Amino acid sequence: MSKVNFLKKEILEKTKELYELKFGEKKEFTPGETYVNYGGRFFDEKEMVNLIDSSLDFWLTTGPWAKKFEKGLAEYLGTKYCSLVNSGSSANLLAFMALTSPSLGDRRINRGDEVITVAAGFPTTVTPVIQYGAIPVFIDVEIPSYNIDVTQLEAALSEKTKAVMVAHTLGNPFNLKAVREFCDRNNLWLIEDNCDALGSEYFIDGEWKKTGTIGDLGTSSFYPPHHMTMGEGGAVYTNNSKLAKLVNSFRDWGRDCWCDSGKDDTCKYRFTKQFGELPLGYDHKYVYSHFGYNLKVTDMQAAIGCAQLEKLPAIVEARRKNWERLYNGLKDLSDKIVLPEKEKDSNPSWFGFLISVKENSGKSRVELAKYLEANRIQTRNLFAGNLIKHPAFDEMRASGEGFRTVGDLKNTDFIMNNTIWIGVYPGMSNEMLDFMIEKVREYVLG
């Protein structure tokens, strides 16, 4: 064994030892004192070993670990293509921007075209649409699925509609059968924001498929509270080779060339073609077919993701079990609170557990949140509640331009006023889950 390999092996063994000393011992849960986070990093020594291993190669930017992760996630999802990016928000940006490429002809999303979505969600599902100059069309959601109300799709449709871009709420798949049929019937693109639903499944076309793979493009986030993490990170995936190439172009500065970093002339176009008004033979590595970005990850992040990917099936199963435990412990309170229900023909990979306080219950969402937080139980709102009520929309609301709504968004406003959620992530013990059940019951029945 060479001196380099010997030292590397020793460093990695010390890394395992450090993990055990710093993170290996499980802390005892003390009700009311131990903080119950809604989510967090779920890892062991393998993530730390991969991180150190990749850092010792000092590749730094996207490299072999990233390729390994892209291949592994595509295999898990059952897609042909996967592009690793630096966040879930960037994944949404790239999925949308790919559909603005002139190469898509009549199906290209132009400025002023419309994209159907919901206001009860996270801002970065909608931000790319607005920043590009397209028009989001907001429709309401259903309760207790908290997902897009598919009965409003036809009312939202116009001659300018080009796409539907919507998220699976907290891991609960939306009605993909209805939404996809609507998109197919009207020749619309479908982007599934799958950032909160990695591992969720939906029965369609006679088989179970992973969410994010049923539309034209799917996106994921690897921020720490999500199903798996790289610290920061995200992915875009598709079965469409042209869309995959467009995603990578926008991710990689907008370049026309598809050669991997550090490799020249894989495309065989380097000095042989003429592009735009550039001179014949202009170096293809510096030809830009889109106004793109640099949204890649480091190989060190990807190395963490490779270890996380091995845990993903167990993570998904744990989230499902934790959600079921909370549901069974609270299901008799249906006269006071609204409990979530999974979509028909779905098997959710839950991100959290939604609780809505009924308006005639004599209870308050804010007071429930305060009570839980006072007992060291972390809570979250359903993200934006009603996105168009936020300060970011002040100018557009005042001008009446830049977005469109269908109906009164009654359920969206109900969520804004009455809904919170608590966690189900794998780091939770049964003692933590039972404590959360106990405290929710105390407030609701008190």
Side-chain angles (χ1 to χ4, degrees):
M1 181 182 294
S2 70
K3 181 71 170 177
V4 169
N5 288 336
F6 175 80
L7 287 173
K8 185 175 183 179
K9 183 179 178 182
E10 188 175 24
I11 289 168
L12 297 183
E13 288 298 324
K14 291 293 185 184
T15 300
K16 294 178 186 177
E17 186 179 339
L18 176 61
Y19 167 83
E20 288 298 330
L21 288 171
K22 188 168 184 178
F23 301 107
E25 185 179 349
K26 290 187 178 180
K27 296 179 181 178
E28 183 178 345
F29 174 64
T30 304
E33 294 183 16
T34 305
Y35 199 56
V36 183
N37 295 292
Y38 79 87
R41 305 168 301 172
F42 183 74
F43 68 102
D44 59 24
E45 76 282 354
K46 291 180 181 177
E47 281 81 356
M48 291 184 67
V49 166
N50 277 14
L51 174 62
I52 299 302
D53 191 358
S54 64
S55 72
L56 294 175
D57 291 334
F58 212 64
W59 189 286
L60 299 186
T61 188
T62 294
W65 285 100
K67 288 294 181 186
K68 181 181 178 181
F69 179 86
E70 289 174 334
K71 182 174 183 294
L73 184 59
E75 288 175 352
Y76 172 82
L77 293 167
T79 60
K80 292 179 181 177
Y81 309 101
C82 174
S83 301
L84 187 55
V85 300
N86 63 356
S87 74
S89 298
S90 293
N92 282 341
L93 172 64
L94 291 172
F96 174 80
M97 290 303 296
L99 302 182
T100 69
S101 172
S103 68
L104 296 176
D106 291 342
R107 295 200 68 192
R108 173 192 185 184
I109 298 176
N110 292 291
R111 290 170 178 83
D113 285 338
E114 295 183 345
V115 178
I116 297 172
T117 188
V118 299
F122 199 74
T124 56
T125 310
V126 178
T127 297
V129 180
I130 294 171
Q131 290 183 335
Y132 176 70
I135 309 298
V137 179
F138 294 106
I139 64 178
D140 211 354
V141 295
E142 297 177 310
I143 296 172
S145 74
Y146 297 88
N147 277 317
I148 185 171
D149 183 352
V150 297
T151 66
Q152 295 189 4
L153 286 169
E154 291 294 340
L157 185 67
S158 80
E159 61 182 14
K160 294 183 178 181
T161 309
K162 287 288 184 71
V164 175
M165 185 171 181
V166 67
H168 301 288
T169 303
L170 284 196
N172 192 15
F174 58 77
N175 187 339
L176 275 159
K177 184 174 185 294
V179 175
R180 198 183 74 172
E181 285 178 353
F182 171 78
C183 289
D184 290 346
R185 188 167 63 250
N186 295 287
N187 198 31
L188 307 177
W189 300 107
L190 173 56
I191 300 175
E192 295 178 67
D193 181 336
N194 202 43
C195 290
D196 292 344
L198 186 59
S200 291
E201 298 169 319
Y202 190 86
F203 192 78
I204 192 169
D205 299 331
E207 62 178 317
W208 286 98
K209 295 181 180 180
K210 294 287 196 302
T211 55
T213 70
I214 295 163
D216 297 286
L217 292 152
T219 62
S220 279
S221 170
F222 307 129
Y223 192 65
H226 282 97
H227 291 66
M228 51 181 288
T229 187
M230 299 177 182
E232 302 285 355
V236 186
Y237 28 92
T238 183
N239 285 308
N240 185 313
S241 60
K242 184 168 189 173
L243 293 182
K245 185 177 178 181
L246 291 173
V247 166
N248 288 342
S249 175
F250 278 100
R251 180 192 65 180
D252 302 348
W253 306 284
R255 67 179 188 166
D256 195 81
C257 180
W258 57 89
C259 298
D260 288 337
S261 179
K263 295 184 179 180
D264 293 343
D265 212 26
T266 306
C267 62
K268 305 301 181 187
Y269 283 5
R270 190 164 184 203
F271 303 112
T272 61
K273 300 287 183 180
Q274 196 273 324
F275 299 92
E277 295 187 356
L278 293 167
L280 177 66
Y282 195 84
D283 191 343
H284 191 226
K285 288 184 74 69
Y286 292 95
V287 172
Y288 303 96
S289 51
H290 301 100
F291 294 103
Y293 317 90
N294 177 8
L295 300 176
K296 300 187 297 297
V297 298
T298 68
D299 224 34
M300 294 171 285
Q301 290 170 271
I304 296 170
C306 287
Q308 288 272 284
L309 195 53
E310 294 176 5
K311 297 178 174 66
L312 186 54
I315 288 171
V316 170
E317 186 58 32
R319 285 180 171 272
R320 287 173 178 154
K321 284 175 137 183
N322 291 346
W323 189 93
E324 287 289 340
R325 193 177 187 96
L326 289 175
Y327 185 87
N328 289 331
L330 299 172
K331 63 184 179 182
D332 64 318
L333 302 178
S334 57
D335 60 327
K336 299 282 189 181
I337 58 176
V338 180
L339 296 180
E341 290 183 12
K342 71 176 185 177
E343 183 67 42
K344 181 184 175 185
D345 295 326
S346 77
N347 187 19
S349 172
W350 296 101
F351 186 49
F353 189 91
L354 283 155
I355 300 171
S356 291
V357 178
K358 289 189 172 182
E359 290 179 334
N360 61 355
S361 66
K363 300 295 179 179
S364 155
R365 185 274 303 276
V366 173
E367 293 305 318
L368 171 58
K370 286 181 178 179
Y371 189 78
L372 295 178
E373 295 279 356
N375 283 281
R376 310 282 289 166
I377 297 168
Q378 194 173 36
T379 66
R380 287 291 184 265
N381 291 348
L382 186 52
F383 307 128
N386 185 340
L387 183 59
I388 64 174
K389 300 287 182 74
H390 285 257
F393 275 77
D394 283 352
E395 291 182 349
M396 284 186 280
R397 281 198 313 274
S399 68
E401 298 177 344
F403 71 97
R404 187 161 67 84
T405 60
V406 174
D408 57 9
L409 304 184
K410 180 178 70 173
N411 288 338
T412 301
D413 283 341
F414 173 85
I415 289 167
M416 177 180 65
N417 291 311
N418 296 279
T419 304
I420 63 169
W421 59 276
I422 53 179
V424 296
Y425 91 109
M428 289 180 169
S429 64
N430 286 340
E431 291 79 13
M432 291 177 178
L433 294 164
D434 291 342
F435 181 66
M436 289 195 292
I437 292 169
E438 175 190 334
K439 293 305 166 183
V440 172
R441 295 184 67 85
E442 276 183 8
Y443 173 77
V444 172
L445 296 175

